């Protein structure tokens, strides 16, 4: 047995926990969450924690248990998801929330582990995420300076670990785990399966043991039973009785933008349907923060996934929106009473070559969502190339050319469309 | 067959080559060199190339063939090794050389591929590598700003590729290849083995297909036959008749600095012997730019390997030296008439927790190598913790305390040592 191997989570965390410390915790949604170690942090009663993690767990699951225990003072994350206790703590002022774009968060953690104190990224320029940060131009583009992150303790979860503390992950469980392993001043890993040295192929190790100080076996895995919130019922029926395109037709119109062999990233909700309604003869690869799916598959960590996005390797993103402005501005992450975090949306609009937005043309109230200037906080400025609504298709070209209607849905008149649109537009119907 | 698969290197590079272009070429020494694609670049006659690669190949091997063909105008690399044609071209002014520390080079390429225009690193501060670069302080430490690198074309070599252009590497062949694949505006890969989609485990892909535009099979592999220069004969015999320690004894003294379980990186030459002469009961892991060896093994790319180094994860480096100064300055990469590049030495001294130097006490000429101030270009300022020579052991503590002799070799007198040392030192023999 290697010198890093511990008999249990109790031993693995012995002497490492103190009030006011900063902890990074791996995991994205329900994948790769160090549940056993989190349970031991919970049992220890340590408090006033600053926790860095992509999200805040769920009620009764993962970091949600530390929130319920009142142990977390501040959460640095990209998205908080559906979590009632978190929402209560935040609204009552008992929890401080700091949002970072998901790709920026991943890269900051990678930088911290790799001895890089700061780097520049386009993600978040012209948004709230830029507040207080240095803005700098390189080759005519503006970038934000972001700082590397380290922590007192990183807790991670791997599928397999060997006695030299080398770690291997399965599929989406990689996410933030290898990055955090490197960024911890001390790193503790729990593993589903502990194996002898030599059982892991040296070419297939995602987090080399040099990053990992202690290893124990997982004894808690509730992901199968975790109360992950069911998706809200789709709003599809709402369009049944009206003029304009159905949601499937909207998705199909967006899908028509996909060339054969394209790499595409889709936002949640309606954009997810785009891949199901591809034109004949077209096949695409679907990119996410942690995978490529389509012709074959590949899994990778979140720094790699967002490096792909920021580096311009993804051809197209299909996103939902709350508001789109005539100049290509996009708002899709924050509204009064809705504080969830930007997730990966800012990274996508800053990095993907072409951005297509799918949204209903008006709010439930009837208020226009295509407007002269966004009133909601921006996800990105001048980033939308094409907008597909239930009433028509608009070319925005990132604000380089005037807003132009290029297709009108059946049964919709130009006068009706103008009345429901908060911005002037040109008309160039094919 | 996937749409990215090409019948040969001729098709794979068709239409992509033009005079004056910038090409990145993967490979480190003889591992992972895209020989088949380089041969086609050679055959094409394209010229005035700027080539970015860790080293310049060998005479008659890899990039050495393009140098011989007069096709390379400028080479950006970390080390040029033993290459007569390169040396001739450089001395005659026909070739421009730009050296970057190996870890900085890897990170600049990763940054380029990941949409990061610039980042900060401690590597190279207070050395020639800092010339013309912005210096900036973070948390009391000084860092250099380094720029991301991209290129017109990246050529890489993988062990296995599938029809979706996913790539997997074996052992040290990973090196710069996955990083360059992402940094190419166009990327072409040659693979030893082309397989159907599904044959590569999606968790074990080192360069996802999204980075790779075209793939062909390797038809040239001369690594077995390549004229890699034999190591120069060891200088061991020179010490036979003199007072002081033998080279083995020096290595053993350095090995005594290694704690059980330590992660250690060794420079070339005498430092390599350190791992062979460990004290009883001590086992260590050996770290290189692309691997960990010891208790189990792991392979990784060069950005990961140098991230480990820069991030402070390596406990100890054992390095050779040309000069060491009383204040801990180290010079070990450049001397009059010797222009080889700094390789990874600047990264090591900037990142590793403790630096032990092993060197002969005087030059062949008898001139002292332990001096008041280095006259050769620095590898790093105030970086040496301990110096082991054939005549004694000195504590330098990175210049925080006065230079102190702590052990004297048998048969050596203090007067003799003072006469052979170019700096004043205190004496605290145990």
């Amino acid at each position: 047995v290697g010198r890093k191997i511990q008999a249990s989570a109790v031993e693995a965390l012995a002497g490492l926990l103190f009030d006011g410390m900063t902890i990074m915790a791996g995991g994205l949604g329900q994948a790769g969450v160090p549940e056993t170690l989190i349970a031991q942090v919970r049992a220890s009663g340590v408090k006033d924690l600053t926790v860095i993690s992509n999200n805040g767990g769920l009620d009764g699951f993962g970091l949600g248990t530390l929130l319920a225990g009142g142990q977390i003072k501040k959460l640095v994350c990209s998205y908080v998801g559906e979590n009632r206790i978190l929402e209560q703590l935040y609204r009552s002022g008992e929890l401080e929330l700091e949002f970072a774009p998901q790709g920026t968060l991943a890269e900051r953690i990678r930088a911290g582990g790799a001895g890089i104190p700061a780097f520049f990224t386009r993600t978040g320029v012209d948004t709230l995420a830029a507040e207080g940060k240095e803005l700098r131009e390189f080759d005519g583009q503006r970038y934000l300076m972001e700082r590397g992150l380290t922590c007192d303790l990183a807790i991670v979860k791997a599928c397999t670990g060997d006695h030299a503390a080398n770690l291997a992950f399965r599929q989406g469980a990689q996410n933030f785990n290898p990055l955090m392993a490197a960024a911890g001043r001390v790193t503790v890993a729990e593993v589903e399966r502990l194996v002898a040295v030599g059982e892991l192929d040296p070419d297939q190790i995602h987090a080399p043991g040099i990053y990992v100080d202690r290893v124990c076996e997982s004894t808690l895995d509730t992901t199968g039973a975790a109360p992950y919130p069911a998706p809200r019922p789709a709003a599809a029926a709402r369009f049944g009785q009206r003029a304009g395109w159905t949601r499937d037709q909207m998705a199909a119109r967006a899908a028509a933008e996909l060339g054969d062999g394209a790499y595409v990233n889709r936002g949640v909700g309606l954009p997810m349907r785009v891949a199901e309604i591809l034109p004949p003869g077209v096949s695409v690869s679907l990119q996410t923060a942690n995978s490529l799916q389509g012709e074959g598959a590949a899994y990778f960590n979140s720094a790699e996934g967002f490096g792909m996005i920021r580096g311009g390797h993804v051809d197209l993103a299909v996103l939902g929106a709350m508001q789109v402005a005539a100049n290509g501005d996009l708002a899709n992450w924050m509204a009064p009473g809705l504080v969830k975090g930007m997730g990966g949306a800012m990274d996508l609009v800053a990095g993907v070559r072409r951005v297509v937005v799918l949204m209903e043309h008006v709010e439930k109230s009837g208020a226009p969502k295509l407007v002269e200037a966004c009133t909601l906080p921006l996800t990105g400025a001048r980033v939308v190339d094409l907008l597909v609504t239930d009433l028509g298709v608009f070319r925005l070209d990132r604000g380089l050319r005037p807003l132009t209607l290029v297709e009108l849905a059946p049964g919709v008149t130009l006068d009706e469309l103008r009345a429901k649109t908060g911005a002037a537009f040109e008309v160039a119907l094919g």
Side-chain angles (χ1 to χ4, degrees), chain A:
Chain A
V1 172
R3 59 178 77 74
K4 295 178 177 180
I5 308 305
Q6 308 293 319
S8 74
V10 177
E11 280 90 344
L13 290 177
L16 299 181
L17 302 175
F18 56 92
D19 291 350
M21 74 188 298
T22 298
I23 297 179
M24 289 184 186
L28 185 81
Q30 289 170 286
V33 175
E35 286 189 75
T36 306
L37 293 168
I38 289 173
Q40 179 55 23
V41 175
R42 174 79 193 87
S44 77
V46 67
K47 61 183 194 298
D48 294 331
L49 300 176
T50 294
V51 173
I52 301 170
S53 192
N54 182 63
N55 44 320
L58 301 167
D59 293 320
F61 172 74
L63 294 175
T65 63
L66 301 187
L67 288 164
Q71 293 170 275
I72 300 180
K73 183 183 65 179
K74 178 178 177 181
L75 180 63
V76 180
C77 64
S78 84
Y79 188 76
V80 295
E82 314 288 336
N83 189 320
R84 276 174 300 251
I85 291 168
L86 186 150
E87 199 169 325
Q88 284 163 20
L89 290 169
Y90 176 66
R91 290 187 193 282
S92 69
E94 292 165 84
L95 175 69
E96 184 185 345
L97 276 180
E98 181 181 316
F99 288 122
Q102 194 172 142
T104 296
L105 184 62
E107 191 67 21
R108 290 178 67 190
I109 295 165
R110 180 195 176 273
I116 294 173
F119 61 91
F120 293 91
T121 174
R122 275 174 65 187
T123 301
V125 170
D126 292 324
T127 75
L128 287 179
E131 275 185 5
K133 289 175 191 158
E134 181 174 322
L135 191 74
R136 181 159 172 168
E137 201 166 295
F138 293 97
D139 304 325
Q141 286 273 1
R142 290 172 308 143
Y143 296 84
L144 299 181
M145 190 176 80
E146 296 277 1
R147 298 296 308 273
L149 285 174
T150 58
C151 60
D152 298 309
L153 172 68
I155 53 177
V156 304
K157 158 88 174 270
C159 303
T160 313
D162 71 16
H163 282 182
N166 294 304
L167 306 179
F169 300 84
R170 268 199 310 274
Q171 301 191 349
Q174 213 179 133
N175 58 65
F176 285 79
N177 282 304
L179 313 172
M180 288 179 171
R185 274 188 282 280
V186 179
T187 293
V188 179
E190 60 172 274
V191 301
E192 288 173 25
R193 211 164 63 91
L194 186 61
V195 301
V197 165
E199 286 196 47
L200 283 176
D201 181 337
D203 287 326
Q204 298 166 358
I205 287 164
H206 300 110
I210 191 170
Y211 296 134
V212 182
D213 298 285
R214 301 185 189 176
V215 177
C216 67
E217 286 185 271
S218 296
T219 55
L220 186 64
D221 182 351
T222 64
T223 49
Y228 205 78
R232 279 174 292 183
R238 300 222 315 269
F239 294 87
Q241 307 305 319
R242 300 184 350 198
W245 286 311
T246 64
R247 288 168 65 86
D248 273 356
Q249 287 168 327
M250 290 166 66
R253 178 59 190 83
E257 297 295 309
L258 301 176
D260 189 33
Y263 290 91
V264 57
N265 186 302
R266 303 160 302 159
V268 294
L270 183 53
M272 295 304 279
R273 306 187 67 169
V274 164
E276 299 153 21
I277 317 181
L278 289 173
V282 171
S283 69
V284 301
S285 294
L286 304 175
Q287 197 264 1
T288 74
N290 297 118
S291 71
L292 284 167
Q293 305 278 353
E295 276 192 335
Y299 294 96
F300 32 80
N301 69 50
S302 298
E304 184 80 30
F306 283 100
M308 268 174 207
I309 290 167
R310 241 185 354 252
H313 302 282
V314 177
D315 298 303
L316 192 105
V318 184
L319 302 173
M322 298 168 179
Q323 288 182 331
V324 170
N327 67 351
D329 288 0
L330 171 67
N332 75 351
W333 76 282
M334 193 190 242
L338 182 78
V339 180
K340 293 287 190 193
M342 68 289 279
M346 286 186 182
D347 306 278
L348 284 166
V349 300
V352 172
R353 291 188 199 150
R354 184 167 163 78
V355 173
V356 173
V357 168
L358 268 182
M359 72 173 187
E360 297 158 30
H361 202 85
V362 297
E363 307 260 16
K364 285 180 199 172
S365 68
K369 296 174 70 176
L370 176 54
V371 293
E372 202 55 55
C374 292
T375 54
L376 296 173
L378 294 190
T379 306
R382 298 175 178 268
V383 295
V384 179
D385 292 286
L386 192 80
L387 169 66
V388 178
T389 78
D390 49 312
L391 303 186
V393 178
F394 296 84
R395 217 169 49 210
L396 291 99
D397 297 322
R398 306 195 172 209
L400 295 174
R401 280 181 285 269
L403 177 68
T404 304
L405 176 74
V406 292
E407 293 175 39
L408 193 60
V412 180
T413 66
L414 256 182
D415 283 349
E416 180 191 350
L417 189 64
R418 287 220 160 87
K420 290 181 170 174
T421 302
F425 56 84
E426 299 187 357
V427 178
L429 299 172

